[in-house]
């Protein structure tokens, strides 16, 4: 059996092993050295940063956690950075989740960011977690007519009518900014279709999504979506902007997205190599009349 | 009245009107011409291959509930596959990730077996619930693929991050794979890993079946030239709402 | 016949029309919301059906000693443990707002057994399953990305541009390009491909899908599609 034949019939577990090495090696290297790769910021990521910067201090921001632990590897870094940016900008953060496990991630993010670095922010006044609400896009439509009906109590069981942070909020339109970190359905696309489009510009929305679902959102940018964080690459770009804007040496938790671009680089290079190899085999066999 | 939704309502009515006109045309013997869809023609071959090899057919109706129109279309396709399988005496396994989908799938398969004249071919236990949790469901289905090595896999419905895992596992066991979905982000994965893929509207056309159904599809296509997405979304909302309420009440 | 087909069809059409119209008419919005609530309640009740099916399927697999019956045993054990821990609120402290009520606390609080299951079992398992995608993408890329015709060559070139442009490799490879040709730098080219070609293609597919969804919804609304009732396809 020729080398080409062997390669063509390569057991896929060798490819799995190559991918494992390609991902593990940079994780170890970055973990030891702490070195990250510089990113060139794209317009969609910069637009997210600028949308939050342009929101007046003290404004309420609705922060939707529409993902679960499965996609947290890609989305949690951007959720952390977005919350840090909002808190640093002195925005009042109202967290909600339309995915059952999104609520746990909201709690974790609040503890890691607000609890650790913004202890002066008061629960119910400067931030609140309203928890998970079932009903998917139906909840979104309810929020457009009656916000409290969608979330009658917060995660701790307090009546939302009594929360200072929600005083004056009748519908979702009373939030000047919506931040959605979403992995699928319901997520950014549904927020655009059921909420943002109907509000005709009175509410701005920025979204952070997995790389694979980002192309679905480009048709909405920049009209319905003010900015998009496209996968871990978008998160890394945004993280750089936030770290530069806030100054000082960022903690490791605020470098996560940039650290994950190392494995992304080696993984992509391996993919390119595999595609090239596959085509070399294809052409050599075609020329040999074996295709 | 929501004044800002009047345009959307107009689009919906337009689509409905066009649909009714084309359905009537179809019933009068003027069905629309629908180009041949290779994936549809491959259904019989795939089921036949499973029969010859003595291996089961695996049908995955997506991971969403019956309030998703794609799931409804997937269950409709299941009926077609199950009828062919009953005629060929092949076994169809249907693991579902939603209880309501399990019930609807059982009804569809039972009816298909009756239509094929083989009511004894229906085995309710072959259509079973696994888990609402996306990756728990995927773990079960891929495990079943490895153990039972189905000869044909049908992946038809609403899929997300699990699409490539399912399709690649099916490929690794040598199954003929036919996929169909309206999730545009997952289409590249199915195209890369499956033998045939019903892309977007093809999936709905495939599930339309008879002349009236095809008339409905044609109605939607003829009515809209520009700005169809917004109108389609509005009608989709109505249809989605309808399916959600109707199917739930039916199952209840 | 009437009970199995006519009544469900009538309910579907009426409920569907109500939900569709309530989206546009403020005064009957509550009717649409009520119908959606009914669906959610029924879907929740249907969990019992699912649990019954899960138990039956896995108990059968164990008793028949099917291939992989050990996995069925693990599934059953996980299901029962999670169910009992969650429903009985084992190890959950009462809520500070109602300390006299033993079951007033939330299961999802960190440190509770249910929270432990979430944090140390569910989260890593689901993340692991999602991470498997990287391996399958590599395998599929090696096997399926072959330049067999012109369209496939275009696809390959686009894939290279996006794969390299979405990492620092794009910067390293094309940063030497002068400013007037900066549009050809890989990171800019990949953004352009995604924003222009990708978006155009996506729009077309999304429009097609939206029409397909509309057509299928209307077929049910008009009573043309009865396949979901189990029996016969389109009229």
């Amino acid at each position: 059996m020729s080398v080409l034949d062997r390669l063509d019939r390569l057991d896929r577990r060798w490819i799995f092993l190559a991918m494992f090495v390609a991902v593990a090696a940079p994780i170890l290297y970055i973990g030891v050295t702490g070195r990250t790769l510089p990113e060139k910021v794209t317009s969609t990521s910069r637009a997210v940063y600028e949308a939050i910067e342009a929101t007046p201090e003290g404004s309420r921001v609705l922060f939707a956690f529409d993902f679960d632990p499965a996609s947290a590897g890609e989305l949690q870094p951007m959720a952390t950075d977005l919350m840090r940016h909002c808190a640093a900008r002195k925005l009042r953060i109202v967290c909600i989740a339309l995915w059952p496990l999104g609520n746990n991630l909201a709690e974790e993010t609040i503890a890691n960011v607000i609890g650790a670095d913004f202890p002066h922010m008061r629960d119910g006044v400067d931030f609140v977690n309203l928890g998970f609400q079932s009903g998917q896009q139906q909840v979104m439509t309810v929020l457009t007519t009656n916000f409290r009906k969608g979330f009658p109590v917060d995660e701790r069981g307090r009546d939302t009518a009594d929360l200072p942070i929600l005083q004056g909020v009748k519908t979702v339109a009373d939030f000047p900014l919506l931040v959605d970190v979403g992995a699928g359905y319901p997520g950014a696309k549904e927020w655009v279709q059921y909420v943002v489009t109907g509000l005709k510009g009175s509410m701005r929305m920025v979204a952070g999504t997995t790389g694979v679902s980002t192309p679905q959102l480009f048709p909405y940018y920049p009209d319905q979506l003010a900015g998009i964080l496209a996968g871990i690459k978008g998160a890394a770009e945004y993280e750089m902007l936030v770290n530069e804007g806030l100054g000082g040496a960022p903690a490791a938790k605020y470098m996560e997205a940039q650290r994950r671009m190392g494995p992304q680089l080696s993984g992509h290079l391996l993919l390119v190599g595999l595609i090239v190899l596959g085509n070399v085999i294809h052409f050599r066999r075609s020329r040999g009349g074996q295709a | 009245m929501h004044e800002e939704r009047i345009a959307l309502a107009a689009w919906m009515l337009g689509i409905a009107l066009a649909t009714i006109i084309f359905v009537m045309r179809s019933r009068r013997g003027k069905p629309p011409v629908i180009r041949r869809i290779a994936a549809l023609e491959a259904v019989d071959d795939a089921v036949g291959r499973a029969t010859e090899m003595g291996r089961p057919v695996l049908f995955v109706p997506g991971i969403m509930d019956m309030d998703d129109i794609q799931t409804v279309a997937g269950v409709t396709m299941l009926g077609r596959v199950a009828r062919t399988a009953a005629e060929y005496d092949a076994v169809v396994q249907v693991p579902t990730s939603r209880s309501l989908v399990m019930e609807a799938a059982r009804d569809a398969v039972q009816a298909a077996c009756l239509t094929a004249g083989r009511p004894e071919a229906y085995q309710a236990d072959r259509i079973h619930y696994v888990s609402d949790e996306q990756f728990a469901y995927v773990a079960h289905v891929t495990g079943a693929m490895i153990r039972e090595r189905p000869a044909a896999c049908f992946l038809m419905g609403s899929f997300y991050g699990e699409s490539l895992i399912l399709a690649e596992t099916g490929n690794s066991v040598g199954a003929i794979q036919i996929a169909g979905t309206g999730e545009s982000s997952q289409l590249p994965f199915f195209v890369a890993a499956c033998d045939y893929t019903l892309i977007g509207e093809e999936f709905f056309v495939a599930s339309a079946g008879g002349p009236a159904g095809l008339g409905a599809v044609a109605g939607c296509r003829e009515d809209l030239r520009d700005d169809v997405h917004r109108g389609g979304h509005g009608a989709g909302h109505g249809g989605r709402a309808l399916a959600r309420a109707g199917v739930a009440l039916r199952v209840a | 016949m009437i009970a199995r087909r006519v009544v469900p069809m009538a309910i579907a059409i009426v409920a569907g029309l109500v939900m569709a119209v309530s989206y546009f008419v403020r005064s009957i919005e509550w009717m649409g919301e009520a119908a959606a609530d009914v669906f959610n309640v029924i879907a929740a009740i249907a969990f019992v059906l699912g649990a019954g099916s899960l138990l039956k399927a896995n108990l059968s697999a164990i008793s028949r000693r099917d291939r992989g019956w050990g996995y069925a045993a693990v599934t059953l054990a996980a299901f029962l443990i999670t169910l009992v821990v969650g429903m009985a609120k084992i190890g959950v402290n009462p809520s500070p707002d109602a300390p006299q009520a033993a079951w007033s606390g939330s299961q999802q609080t960190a440190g509770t057994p249910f929270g432990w299951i979430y944090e140390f079992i569910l989260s890593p398992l689901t993340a692991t399953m999602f991470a498997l995608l990287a391996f399958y993408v590599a395998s599929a890329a090696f096997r399926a990305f072959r330049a067999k015709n012109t369209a496939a060559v275009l696809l390959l070139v686009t894939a290279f541009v996006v794969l390299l442009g979405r990492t620092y490799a794009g910067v390293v490879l094309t940063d030497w390009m002068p400013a007037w040709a900066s549009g050809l730098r890989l990171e800019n080219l990949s953004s352009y491909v995604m924003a222009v070609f990708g978006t155009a293609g996506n729009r077309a597919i999304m429009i097609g899908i939206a029409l397909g969804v509309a057509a299928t919804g209307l077929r049910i609304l008009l009573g043309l599609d009865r396949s979901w009732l189990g029996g016969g396809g389109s009229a």
Side-chain angles (χ1 to χ4, degrees):
Chain A
M1 188 184 283
S2 70
V3 176
L4 280 180
D5 284 333
R6 282 186 187 172
L7 281 174
D8 201 26
R9 291 173 192 170
L10 188 67
D11 188 324
R12 68 177 63 204
R13 284 173 292 189
W14 288 109
I15 297 173
F16 293 170
L17 181 65
M19 180 53 87
F20 174 76
V21 172
V23 172
I27 287 176
L28 287 174
Y29 176 76
I30 293 169
V32 171
T33 63
R35 291 179 62 183
T36 57
L37 301 168
E39 295 300 326
K40 287 216 167 178
V41 181
T42 52
S43 59
T44 50
S45 303
R46 188 176 293 283
V48 172
Y49 180 80
E50 287 171 355
I52 293 176
E53 284 289 307
T55 307
E57 189 178 311
S59 301
R60 276 180 290 255
V61 52
L62 187 62
F63 201 125
F65 282 78
D66 296 333
F67 65 107
D68 61 10
S71 45
E74 193 170 8
L75 298 181
Q76 186 56 54
M78 64 176 77
T80 302
D81 293 322
L82 283 162
M83 185 164 284
R84 180 190 183 212
H85 192 191
C86 290
R89 285 276 308 138
K90 294 189 171 64
L91 303 179
R92 292 186 291 161
I93 303 163
V94 178
C95 298
I96 61 171
L98 299 183
W99 286 40
L101 297 178
N103 179 46
N104 299 59
L105 295 164
E107 286 284 303
E108 285 173 23
T109 311
I110 288 170
N112 287 340
V113 178
I114 296 177
D117 298 327
F118 300 90
H120 59 277
M121 290 179 73
R122 294 159 295 171
D123 187 5
V125 179
D126 301 310
F127 74 94
V128 70
N129 179 20
L130 301 184
F132 163 69
Q133 185 60 274
S134 65
Q136 301 165 337
Q137 80 280 356
Q138 192 65 31
V139 177
M140 298 178 187
T141 52
V142 168
L143 295 182
T144 61
T145 55
N146 188 338
F147 190 86
R148 293 214 175 89
K149 194 172 175 190
F151 288 92
V153 293
D154 76 349
E155 169 61 12
R156 291 177 54 192
R158 296 172 296 189
D159 191 331
T160 49
D162 301 332
L163 294 175
I165 192 172
L166 291 177
Q167 293 309 307
V169 172
K170 288 180 180 155
T171 71
V172 73
D174 293 315
F175 290 85
L177 182 67
L178 165 64
V179 176
D180 179 71
V181 183
Y185 172 84
K189 195 169 126 187
E190 286 69 33
W191 279 110
V192 167
Q193 290 178 338
Y194 290 94
V195 177
V196 176
T197 304
L199 296 177
K200 297 190 183 298
S202 65
M203 175 201 235
R204 301 185 84 194
M205 176 180 171
V206 295
T209 62
T210 53
V212 70
S213 55
T214 302
Q216 286 187 81
L217 297 178
F218 274 116
Y220 304 120
Y221 172 80
D223 292 335
Q224 290 109 316
L225 272 175
I228 305 170
L229 297 183
I232 198 68
K233 160 93 169 141
E237 295 168 2
Y238 173 71
E239 192 173 82
M240 272 182 58
L241 289 174
V242 173
N243 287 342
E244 284 170 14
L246 298 179
K253 64 187 171 188
Y254 300 130
M255 291 293 290
E256 269 305 312
Q258 291 173 80
R259 290 160 71 99
R260 291 176 195 194
M261 283 306 290
Q264 170 120 330
L265 169 64
S266 52
H268 280 204
L269 289 177
L270 175 66
L271 283 179
V272 170
L274 285 171
I275 294 171
V276 170
L277 180 64
N279 279 281
V280 168
I281 295 168
H282 173 68
F283 279 113
R284 294 291 291 271
R285 288 173 69 96
S286 299
R287 283 188 181 178
Q290 299 174 63
Chain B
M1 188 75 189
H2 284 279
E3 289 76 14
E4 73 279 8
R5 293 177 186 168
I6 288 176
L8 205 57
W11 277 115
M12 254 191 81
L13 288 174
I15 292 172
L17 196 64
T19 302
I20 291 166
I21 290 169
F22 274 85
V23 167
M24 288 168 67
R25 274 170 55 105
S26 293
R27 287 189 165 169
R28 284 184 195 145
K30 292 181 184 173
V33 178
I34 302 288
R35 67 177 164 79
R36 73 180 264 281
I37 298 174
L40 267 185
E41 293 172 4
V43 169
D44 288 359
D45 293 341
V47 177
R49 181 172 179 262
T51 311
E52 285 169 9
M53 296 174 76
R55 290 198 206 156
V57 172
L58 180 75
F59 193 102
V60 181
I63 62 161
M64 299 307 285
D65 216 330
M66 288 303 291
D67 62 336
D68 191 315
I69 288 286
Q70 293 183 63
T71 311
V72 176
V75 170
T76 304
M77 288 299 294
L78 169 63
R80 186 171 302 179
V81 170
R83 191 170 63 218
T84 309
E87 286 165 357
Y88 288 11
D89 199 18
V91 171
V92 182
Q93 300 277 8
V94 189
T96 70
S97 78
R98 308 284 169 158
S99 309
L100 291 178
V101 178
M102 177 186 75
E103 287 298 315
R106 282 181 173 174
D107 279 355
V109 172
Q110 188 175 23
C113 291
L114 276 170
T115 309
R118 295 198 61 243
E120 74 282 1
Y122 171 65
Q123 301 273 336
D125 289 350
R126 289 176 183 157
I127 302 149
H128 62 279
Y129 169 80
V130 178
S131 171
D132 275 43
E133 186 61 40
Q134 180 184 21
F135 286 108
Y137 176 70
V138 174
H140 172 88
V141 175
T142 51
M145 281 179 178
I146 299 291
R147 285 191 297 275
E148 296 175 22
R149 307 181 73 81
C153 292
F154 293 87
L155 309 170
M156 295 196 176
S158 187
F159 292 89
Y160 291 91
E162 71 286 348
S163 59
L164 186 64
I165 298 176
L166 294 174
E168 271 295 292
T169 308
N171 182 279
S172 73
V173 299
I176 284 189
Q177 300 202 98
I178 304 176
T181 187
E183 291 301 331
S184 59
S185 60
Q186 304 307 320
L187 284 170
F189 297 133
F190 280 146
V191 170
C194 294
D195 299 285
Y196 301 93
T197 305
L198 293 161
I199 297 173
E201 65 188 69
E202 284 182 348
F203 177 44
F204 299 104
V205 171
S207 72
L214 294 177
V217 172
C220 277
R221 296 175 93 172
E222 288 295 321
D223 184 63
L224 303 170
R225 298 288 181 199
D226 302 310
D227 203 12
V228 283
H229 184 208
R230 188 165 163 73
H233 165 62
H237 179 87
R240 183 190 189 87
L242 169 93
R244 166 178 258 227
V247 174
L249 289 167
R250 156 72 188 93
V251 174
Chain C
M1 177 69 182
I2 289 177
R4 267 191 78 81
R5 297 185 68 84
V6 179
V7 173
M9 180 87 81
I11 292 172
I13 291 171
V14 171
L17 277 173
V18 163
M19 291 188 76
V21 175
S22 70
Y23 185 71
F24 300 100
V25 183
R26 260 183 239 277
S27 55
I28 61 164
E29 263 175 354
W30 64 272
M31 293 171 77
E33 289 168 11
D37 287 345
V38 169
F39 175 86
N40 288 335
V41 170
I42 291 168
I45 294 169
F47 268 118
V48 179
L49 287 174
S53 169
L54 185 78
L55 284 172
K56 191 177 174 192
N58 286 287
L59 285 171
S60 301
I62 294 169
S63 64
R64 287 196 307 259
R65 292 288 193 275
D66 285 349
R67 279 187 74 191
W69 67 270
Y71 298 118
V74 172
T75 304
L76 274 185
F79 170 67
L80 293 172
I81 290 170
T82 310
L83 187 74
V84 171
V85 168
M87 291 193 75
K89 291 194 172 181
I90 291 172
V92 176
N93 293 320
S95 163
D97 300 326
Q100 72 285 0
W103 281 10
S104 59
S106 167
Q107 300 103 318
Q108 297 188 16
T109 314
T112 62
F114 198 78
W116 190 90
I117 289 172
Y118 163 78
E119 191 171 351
F120 297 110
I121 299 179
L122 184 67
S123 288
L125 283 178
T126 52
T128 302
M129 287 297 295
F130 191 68
L132 287 177
L133 263 179
F135 299 99
Y136 287 109
V137 165
S139 156
F142 177 65
R143 187 173 44 78
F145 267 105
R146 303 281 164 97
K148 292 174 181 168
N149 51 44
T150 312
V153 171
L154 284 173
L155 187 69
L156 269 179
V157 173
T158 311
F160 284 155
V161 168
V162 174
L163 279 170
L164 295 173
R166 299 289 294 166
T167 63
Y168 190 61
V171 178
V172 171
L173 289 171
T174 54
D175 208 31
W176 54 269
M177 286 186 165
W180 57 266
S182 63
L184 294 175
R185 288 179 190 162
L186 278 172
E187 70 272 18
N188 295 332
L189 206 54
S190 72
S191 295
Y192 185 77
V193 164
M194 289 176 70
V196 178
F197 295 106
T199 303
N202 250 299
R203 276 208 173 103
I205 291 174
M206 284 164 77
I207 288 167
I209 291 168
L211 292 178
V213 169
T216 309
L218 284 165
R219 277 165 46 213
I220 299 171
L221 183 68
L222 298 172
L224 300 170
D225 187 339
R226 295 187 288 273
S227 58
W228 53 275
L229 289 165
S234 301

